[in-house]
Amino acid sequence: IVIAAGSRPVVTDLVKNSGVPYYTSDTVMRIDEGPRRVGILGGGYIAAEFAHIFSAFGAQTTVILRGDKLAKHLDADIRDAFNACALQDWDVRLGYHLSKLHMEGDVVCMQLDDGTELDVDLLLVAMGRIPNGDRLNAQAAGVELHVDGRVKVDEYQRTSVPHIWALGDVSSDYQLKHVANHEARVVAHNLAHPDD
């Protein structure tokens, strides 16, 4: 048995309940045309990646995050150098919260907690992802989970139950496609060669 149930994007209740159309990393690659102005909620690698993509295509890009640094999980020297570049290329709002959200015609109107109002054509919510382990009832099979909902695995991708393996976002600290692809190769090898 292989558990590869992935993860889902974090979306705040304010955004979910606003009635405003928004995108996540699951859906933003399916837009018909690039926006003139984009607002991105979040400051991790997904937010940074899409801020770069949209700005490279000429979109006025605003990144809004609660924290005081983009990509805070990186090595401090790399993070600081990246932040210096990002602050030059994008409109980065550090230490802000979204307080209101509504539509006026085709425009997404965002109000920040300091009263600042921003109008964008596309809203991307990139505030992180939640492993789907919490939706599996894995404990019923004896499969252990971390507090954050990730399936616990060892260095061979084995779970706490013999013959059950897990890979990708549902079990990994690093929610990246390349990591999941590597873990899939590890699991495939171990399934085909149980004694190796």
Side-chain angles (χ1 to χ4, degrees), residues 108-128:
V108 177
C109 303
M110 301 185 294
Q111 185 174 0
L112 304 183
D113 55 353
D114 71 343
T116 302
E117 294 187 9
L118 302 168
D119 294 339
V120 297
D121 304 306
L122 182 143
L123 174 62
L124 172 63
V125 180
M127 301 175 72

Side-chain angles (χ1 to χ4, degrees), residues 42-45 47-48 51 63-95:
Y45 59 86
V63 180
I64 304 159
L65 64 148
R66 296 172 297 204
D68 61 351
K69 297 278 186 192
L70 291 164
K72 65 181 178 182
H73 62 284
L74 295 178
D75 168 85
D77 291 336
I78 294 170
R79 180 195 62 227
D80 292 344
F82 172 75
N83 274 265
C85 292
L87 290 168
Q88 290 177 4
D89 292 342
W90 314 322
D91 177 12
V92 179
R93 309 293 177 106
L94 301 171

Side-chain angles (χ1 to χ4, degrees), residues 120-143:
V120 297
D121 304 306
L122 182 143
L123 174 62
L124 172 63
V125 180
M127 301 175 72
R129 297 185 66 83
I130 302 168
N132 285 329
D134 63 338
R135 295 182 165 180
L136 300 176
N137 195 18
Q139 298 92 328
V143 174

Side-chain angles (χ1 to χ4, degrees), residues 117-178:
E117 294 187 9
L118 302 168
D119 294 339
V120 297
D121 304 306
L122 182 143
L123 174 62
L124 172 63
V125 180
M127 301 175 72
R129 297 185 66 83
I130 302 168
N132 285 329
D134 63 338
R135 295 182 165 180
L136 300 176
N137 195 18
Q139 298 92 328
V143 174
E144 295 179 14
L145 300 179
H146 291 281
V147 174
D148 65 2
R150 284 178 299 120
V151 174
K152 287 185 181 181
V153 294
D154 65 11
E155 66 270 23
Y156 304 105
Q157 300 304 126
R158 296 179 295 204
T159 70
S160 54
V161 177
H163 309 294
I164 299 180
W165 310 76
L167 61 93
D169 287 2
V170 76
S171 62
S172 181
D173 282 334
Y174 306 100
Q175 296 179 333
L176 298 166
K177 184 179 185 324
H178 303 304

